């Protein structure tokens, strides 16, 4: 009888271990399928630490907003409400410490710092790593960095899907070509 209980417990634990990652994948796929796509312009990557493991690091032009609310601490959560500019790129419509009843998509970011002189709140977006196949990640990092330095205006952006405060980084695009295809083209 004790063996059956252990076997049942084993099955329950095994099912839980399969359910949790499957649920995470399903949630991300749901955001991509029914979320709103935003293009976030990237900034040049810090050349002193350009590549860690199997992903590329992305910095964004959209990283600050002027606010009269001066009570911000580093690592506070900030609700960033989005809209698109005339070129189709994401821009901040409003920010708040708490969810607002706006008919706008939002993401939850972390406060980096607040400058009381110009009342600018700097924040870190939650999608700054783009994972790629290991053999192509370094070439992709170099391509992003080179394109951001060489082209005016900046033609590199991250395609991010947003739904209910959640965000999924779906692709990095250089000159309207997916980074995956761009790296293949350069080979």
């Amino acid at each position: 009888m004790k063996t059956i209980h252990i076997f049942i417990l084993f099955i329950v634990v095994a099912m839980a271990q399969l359910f949790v990652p499957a649920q995470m994948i399903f949630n991300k796929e749901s955001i991509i399928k029914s979320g709103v796509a935003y293009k976030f312009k990237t900034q040049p990557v810090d050349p002193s630490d350009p590549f860690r493991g199997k992903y590329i690091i992305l910095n964004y032009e959209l990283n600050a907003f002027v606010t009269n609310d001066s009570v911000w601490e580093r690592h506070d959560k900030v609700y960033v409400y989005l809209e698109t500019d005339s070129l189709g790129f994401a821009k901040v419509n409003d920010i708040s410490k708490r969810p607002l009843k706006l008919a706008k998509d939002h993401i939850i970011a972390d406060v980096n710092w607040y400058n009381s002189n110009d009342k600018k709140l700097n924040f870190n977006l939650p999608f700054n790593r783009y994972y790629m196949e290991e053999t192509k990640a370094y070439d992709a990092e170099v391509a992003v960095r080179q394109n951001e330095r060489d082209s005016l205006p900046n033609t590199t952006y991250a395609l991010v899907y947003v739904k209910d405060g959640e965000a999924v980084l779906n692709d990095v695009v250089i000159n309207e070509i997916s980074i995956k295809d761009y790296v293949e083209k350069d080979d």
Side-chain angles (χ1 to χ4, degrees):
M1 190 59 112
K2 193 170 192 170
T3 308
I4 290 180
H5 288 2
I6 292 173
F7 181 71
I8 290 172
L9 181 62
F10 171 76
I11 295 295
V12 169
V13 170
M15 294 300 288
Q17 288 179 341
L18 292 174
F19 176 77
V20 171
Q23 183 66 29
M24 291 169 62
I25 292 169
F26 175 77
N27 288 344
K28 299 295 182 189
E29 288 297 320
S30 173
I31 292 169
I32 290 173
K33 286 181 182 172
S34 61
V36 177
Y38 286 90
K39 298 187 294 188
F40 288 81
K41 286 184 182 179
T42 59
Q43 289 181 327
V45 177
D46 181 4
S48 66
D49 188 14
F51 178 69
R52 298 181 204 166
K54 301 173 188 171
Y55 58 88
I56 58 176
I57 301 210
L58 300 169
N59 295 322
Y60 297 98
E61 289 182 11
L62 180 73
N63 66 0
F65 189 72
V66 175
T67 178
N68 290 323
D69 185 355
S70 62
V71 185
W72 294 98
E73 296 290 327
R74 185 171 171 81
H75 300 296
D76 279 352
K77 297 294 181 202
V78 57
Y79 291 82
V80 180
Y81 290 86
L82 303 171
E83 61 185 13
T84 53
D85 65 14
S86 62
L87 298 175
F89 290 98
K91 72 177 191 175
V92 178
N93 173 270
D94 202 356
I95 63 170
S96 174
K97 290 185 178 190
R98 292 171 197 77
L100 301 175
K101 294 185 182 203
L102 296 176
K104 300 273 183 198
D105 290 312
H106 71 279
I107 54 178
I108 302 170
D110 287 326
V111 171
N112 194 15
W113 54 275
Y114 176 74
N115 184 333
S116 58
N117 293 331
D118 59 8
K119 298 185 179 195
K120 188 182 284 188
L121 177 73
N122 286 59
F123 50 85
N124 295 320
L125 295 172
F127 39 85
N128 63 349
R129 295 179 184 162
Y130 182 69
Y131 291 87
M132 293 191 68
E133 181 184 329
E134 181 177 359
T135 59
K136 296 179 182 174
Y138 179 75
D139 294 338
E141 182 86 32
V142 170
V144 168
R145 191 174 341 118
Q146 185 173 1
N147 187 69
E148 289 173 341
R149 288 184 181 150
D150 295 347
S151 66
L152 290 173
N154 181 1
T155 57
T156 304
Y157 62 88
L159 184 63
V160 178
Y161 285 85
V162 176
K163 178 182 175 186
D164 300 330
E166 297 285 327
V168 175
L169 173 54
N170 189 52
D171 201 359
V172 175
V173 179
I174 300 176
N175 297 326
E176 298 304 321
I177 301 170
S178 169
I179 189 74
K180 296 170 219 150
D181 298 333
Y182 193 89
V183 172
E184 298 261 333
K185 178 186 82 155
D186 285 351
D187 287 344

